[in-house]
Amino acid sequence: MAAITVSGLTKDYGHFHAVKGVSFEVDEGEVFGLIGPNGAGKTTTLRVLATLLEISGGSVTIFGRDLKGEAPAVRKMISYLPEDAGAYKNMTGRRYLEFISGFFTPEKDPGQLLERGLHIANLKERIDDRVETYSKGMTRRLLVARALMIEPKLAILDELTSGLDVLNAQEIRRVVRAQTQQGTTVLLSSHNMLEVELMCDRIALINDGRIVESGRPKELKEKYGASNIEEVFVEVVK
Amino acid sequence: MSGLGRIFWKEVRELLTPATLVPIIIMAIVFAMLGSAFGGIQEEMEEKAQVGLIIDDEGVIGDFARASLNASTTIVYNGTDLVEGRAMLMDGEAGDALIYIPYNFTSNLLGGSPGWVQVFYHMKGTGLSSSLDSGKVGGALDTLSTDISYAMIVSNFTSNATLVLEPMVMSSTTFLNDKEVEGVTPSQLDAVLSQGQFIVPLIVMLVIIMAGSMVISSMGNEKENKTLETLLTLPVKRTWIVLGKLAGAAVVGLIVSMIYMVGLGFYYSSLAGTSEIDLEKYALALGIEDYVLIGISLFLALLCGLALCMILGIFTKNYKAAQSMTLPITMLALIPMFISLFSDFASLPGPVQALVFAIPFSAPMFAISNITLGYYWLVVAGIIYCAIFAAATMLLAVWMFKRDILLTGRVRSAEKKKFALGGLVSNLWRK
């Protein structure tokens, strides 16, 4: 079964058409990347898939569940990490993970989820400090832990390492990669084309609300005679 | 344009938004309406008191009193039978008060004793405006007393200075509903009643402003800290998110109101302890069932306020913007609170009644005066209205939580039509 099937998805904000008929499929256990410049429609597509925004047109199914009619069921399977997400500043890191894990009972054991979250966050003794005292990298690790500790069937990750230094970015990519070994399907978006090339099994290039090319990074580079995905993208949108 | 001019125009454009202006314009219109409604009070004060008069005294001073009262008041009832006069007063046929001068008024004064005058008031409402009528009657009686003193001095009637200074002894009786409160004027009775009636509106206003501010700030914080999106993708119904936030703020609001009530309760009991009017003796004190009604009314008004704040919070962008969003709620709470200080609900002009009733916070603010005046149906109507209003606003908040507007903070032009009442109702029905 396909993890995600998107057919002719459109999303309008009044007269502005943010997504103009996007279609793609993501297989179970795959890491699929949406890449494109700022304002291309990546985040809007991800927010629709995360059940945050209403669909203007087309259809989306996630593990066979129709997004329009079965949003609550979809929410049980997904985990969404927005680009500039934050955590409750007055909570400690541990309390925040406890708070989130409580929403997944009784299907999952909150104690196990917490243990897993603590392991992914790897914040050591700082996990018992308030979130407001965390650096950007620490907060992002906590949020990645929040997103992955529940072992979602689908993780939707928007600009995974946005604003992080190289070391923190590498660590977070490693954590996400490890998660995919557990069978989680990952849909991620980025305008960092190097990151997507490193992490994704397949990618779709999105520009001005439309998918302009898709395929495996290696195949696309060969097709356009490019040395990296950035060059592929420039060739495609030229 | 100079640097100063550029910064000036940037600030003006940022600060002068529809969100800032619309509540202020609405408030200006509301206050203009209230001003015109209450503007008549000054003119009313300048008018003569309307009284009923029974003078059993056939002596010279009785005639003198009739002439004095004729000049200082408008006599709308002139009778001879006290029982009939009291009935006329209760039916509203004897003006603001019934003045009774007994048969021995002249003989007492001639004998060196003060003349006895009995005044019966029919108190139709509470608040400052209810005291005006009795004040005018009191003024007319003071004029009568002065006229008698003056006549005594001019005619060298007596050398008893005490009698000249106080030629009359007045006894006042006030009817409130079917209760007869002896020895007090309406303004004295209102002073005691208003001590209790002042507390509830104050508490309602403080709690609604504070709890409402918490809800709006919570939404502002969720948006500013970017935690809302995470919350919305968790496997929890949007209804529970809305109700959870409302319930949290309601509990905190109730705790706060209880703390206020304890403090103000001590204040009230201290004042009541010094009062000479025992309300329980005249069955004017509130019973347990009255407190239950006020409590229900307060709780529902709090829910209305919180649900309204939740809707306002949906439109807020961050914590700073959330602070200005509390202004409309603050104003809505202030209007009935100020009005409750001046008048009871039943005494308000029709359009003001409609405006005040439409504000859900009014129900508990006017509950005590309505109970005191026997208008239980108004208290119950207020409770029913608040329940419907709270349910409707909570449904609307839940509906908005399921829409893009929660994240985008604005209504899409294509959706504006849906916000028309018909579209909204049909959407809610379909859901």
Side-chain angles (χ1 to χ4, degrees):
Chain A
M1 186 202 302
I4 308 171
T5 306
V6 179
S7 302
L9 175 69
T10 61
K11 179 63 196 170
D12 305 329
Y13 295 109
H15 298 298
F16 175 67
H17 308 297
V19 179
K20 304 167 182 172
V22 163
S23 301
F24 62 88
E25 248 187 39
V26 180
D27 294 330
E28 209 169 337
E30 195 176 23
V31 180
F32 188 88
L34 273 180
I35 62 172
N38 294 333
K42 304 185 301 291
T43 296
T44 301
T45 305
L46 262 53
R47 285 175 132 199
V48 169
L49 267 62
T51 73
L52 285 172
L53 296 177
E54 297 169 80
I55 295 173
S56 301
S59 69
V60 177
T61 57
I62 293 177
F63 291 99
R65 300 280 195 170
D66 178 42
L67 202 63
K68 242 179 181 172
E70 298 174 279
V74 169
R75 286 187 197 116
K76 287 183 179 174
M77 298 187 288
I78 65 166
S79 194
Y80 175 55
L81 179 64
E83 177 186 0
D84 48 3
Y88 296 107
K89 289 180 177 174
N90 59 338
M91 290 184 186
T92 64
R94 183 189 298 275
R95 178 76 194 93
Y96 178 67
L97 295 177
E98 276 173 356
F99 171 70
I100 297 292
S101 61
F103 287 101
F104 295 88
T105 54
E107 288 88 354
K108 293 177 180 175
D109 175 11
Q112 278 185 1
L113 296 186
L114 178 62
E115 281 306 311
R116 198 175 146 66
L118 295 174
H119 174 72
I120 297 171
N122 194 24
L123 289 169
K124 300 191 173 68
E125 69 278 1
R126 292 297 309 276
I127 195 72
D128 290 313
D129 290 342
R130 281 174 179 248
V131 171
E132 63 190 348
T133 65
Y134 288 3
S135 68
K136 191 167 184 178
M138 290 166 71
T139 305
R140 196 65 177 166
R141 275 162 69 163
L142 180 71
L143 291 167
V144 169
R146 186 273 298 163
L148 300 181
M149 72 178 180
I150 59 166
E151 297 182 304
K153 291 182 81 173
L154 170 66
I156 303 171
L157 312 171
D158 192 4
E159 302 289 356
L160 181 63
T161 58
S162 167
L164 296 184
D165 60 48
V166 177
L167 293 177
N168 270 308
Q170 264 195 346
E171 172 64 12
I172 283 176
R173 280 189 211 115
R174 189 194 60 75
V175 168
V176 173
R177 258 297 177 195
Q179 181 68 36
T180 59
Q181 310 300 318
Q182 317 277 327
T184 295
T185 305
V186 174
L187 172 64
L188 66 86
S189 87
S190 181
H191 58 265
N192 180 347
M193 302 197 187
L194 178 67
E195 175 172 281
V196 176
E197 194 177 340
L198 283 170
M199 292 189 68
C200 297
D201 301 315
R202 280 194 308 131
I203 58 173
L205 279 64
I206 189 166
N207 189 40
D208 191 26
R210 293 186 180 88
I211 288 185
V212 288
E213 186 59 277
S214 64
R216 295 187 179 281
K218 193 179 167 191
E219 292 167 359
L220 290 175
K221 282 191 284 186
E222 284 171 6
K223 183 176 173 182
Y224 289 93
S227 58
N228 57 48
I229 291 298
E230 200 169 271
E231 286 177 17
V232 172
F233 186 79
V234 172
E235 276 298 312
V236 170
V237 300
K238 201 161 56 178
Chain B
M1 194 184 286
S2 69
L4 174 65
R6 282 174 188 281
I7 292 167
F8 171 76
W9 282 114
K10 181 193 91 60
E11 291 299 316
V12 169
R13 273 201 297 270
E14 274 179 12
L15 298 172
L16 211 61
T17 60
T20 315
L21 278 179
V22 171
I24 303 289
I25 292 169
I26 291 172
M27 287 314 304
I29 294 168
V30 167
F31 277 119
M33 281 173 64
L34 291 176
S36 62
F38 287 110
I41 288 178
Q42 183 64 32
E43 290 164 21
E44 196 184 315
M45 277 296 290
E46 287 163 8
E47 287 172 9
K48 288 179 179 178
Q50 295 192 331
V51 299
L53 190 59
I54 297 175
I55 299 183
D56 279 350
D57 181 59
E58 292 177 352
V60 62
I61 303 178
D63 291 339
F64 182 80
R66 186 186 300 278
S68 172
L69 288 170
N70 235 332
S72 61
T73 66
T74 303
I75 297 170
V76 294
Y77 168 77
N78 213 332
T80 52
D81 181 32
L82 186 57
V83 175
E84 182 199 78
R86 283 171 53 149
M88 294 290 279
L89 178 71
M90 297 305 286
D91 290 342
E93 302 289 327
D96 306 321
L98 177 70
I99 300 170
Y100 173 64
I101 296 179
Y103 69 96
N104 57 0
F105 187 71
T106 300
S107 59
N108 274 354
L109 282 165
L110 292 176
S113 303
W116 183 63
V117 176
Q118 194 167 11
V119 190
F120 299 92
Y121 296 94
H122 182 202
M123 193 172 169
K124 301 178 196 79
T126 60
L128 189 63
S129 62
S130 69
S131 306
L132 295 180
D133 295 336
S134 64
K136 285 193 291 184
V137 174
L141 290 168
D142 284 345
T143 304
L144 171 61
S145 176
T146 307
D147 287 348
I148 293 173
S149 299
Y150 182 75
M152 284 175 160
I153 292 165
V154 169
S155 61
N156 281 325
F157 170 73
T158 180
S159 57
N160 184 344
T162 307
L163 185 64
V164 171
L165 287 171
E166 289 183 30
M168 281 165 42
V169 173
M170 275 181 282
S171 163
S172 301
T173 300
T174 298
F175 295 103
L176 178 60
N177 299 330
D178 298 329
K179 285 128 191 160
E180 186 175 336
V181 188
E182 289 174 353
V184 293
T185 63
S187 52
Q188 289 169 324
L189 183 56
D190 184 64
V192 177
L193 290 174
S194 64
Q195 287 163 12
Q197 288 164 11
F198 174 71
I199 291 173
V200 172
L202 190 67
I203 289 173
V204 172
M205 188 200 67
L206 290 172
V207 169
I208 283 173
I209 291 173
M210 211 197 66
S213 168
M214 283 191 289
V215 168
I216 298 181
S217 299
S218 161
M219 289 299 294
N221 268 329
E222 294 267 16
K223 289 192 175 183
E224 186 169 307
N225 296 332
K226 310 287 181 190
T227 49
L228 185 62
E229 293 186 6
T230 301
L231 194 62
L232 295 174
T233 54
L234 292 173
V236 56
K237 285 182 180 178
R238 302 281 166 96
T239 311
W240 298 148
I241 297 177
V242 172
L243 292 183
K245 281 182 172 291
L246 290 181
V251 165
V252 175
L254 286 175
I255 291 170
V256 169
S257 63
M258 276 190 274
I259 294 168
Y260 277 132
M261 272 185 177
V262 170
L264 289 169
F266 275 112
Y267 161 81
Y268 177 48
S269 60
S270 309
L271 286 180
T274 60
S275 166
E276 291 174 358
I277 304 169
D278 181 4
L279 293 177
E280 278 186 32
K281 180 182 164 190
Y282 300 105
L284 286 170
L286 298 178
I288 290 172
E289 66 280 4
D290 299 328
Y291 282 112
V292 170
L293 278 176
I294 294 166
I296 294 170
S297 184
L298 174 63
F299 178 71
L300 289 172
L302 179 61
L303 276 187
C304 291
L306 295 178
L308 274 176
C309 288
M310 180 64 81
I311 290 171
L312 288 173
I314 287 170
F315 293 94
T316 194
K317 291 172 188 164
N318 49 43
Y319 184 78
K320 188 183 166 193
Q323 302 310 303
S324 61
M325 284 283 189
T326 56
L327 183 67
I329 297 296
T330 305
M331 289 300 180
L332 278 180
L334 280 173
I335 292 171
M337 197 210 74
F338 276 124
I339 293 176
S340 71
L341 298 180
F342 289 99
S343 174
D344 63 281
F345 183 82
S347 306
L348 294 171
V352 181
Q353 272 186 340
L355 171 77
V356 168
F357 193 83
I359 299 172
F361 316 140
S362 307
M365 290 187 182
F366 285 94
I368 288 188
S369 61
N370 283 335
I371 287 170
T372 305
L373 295 170
Y375 298 126
Y376 277 89
W377 68 271
L378 266 176
V379 182
V380 175
I383 286 174
I384 293 169
Y385 173 72
C386 279
I388 294 169
F389 191 99
T393 40
M394 280 195 280
L395 274 174
L396 181 60
V398 170
W399 181 79
M400 292 173 85
F401 252 71
K402 294 176 180 173
R403 293 289 172 278
D404 290 357
I405 190 173
L406 180 61
L407 294 173
T408 58
R410 63 183 134 184
V411 184
R412 286 186 286 135
S413 57
E415 267 204 350
K416 277 183 181 169
K417 284 179 188 169
K418 288 187 189 174
F419 267 78
L421 190 61
L424 188 62
V425 170
S426 68
N427 264 309
L428 285 171
W429 182 253
R430 277 208 303 277
K431 297 286 162 195

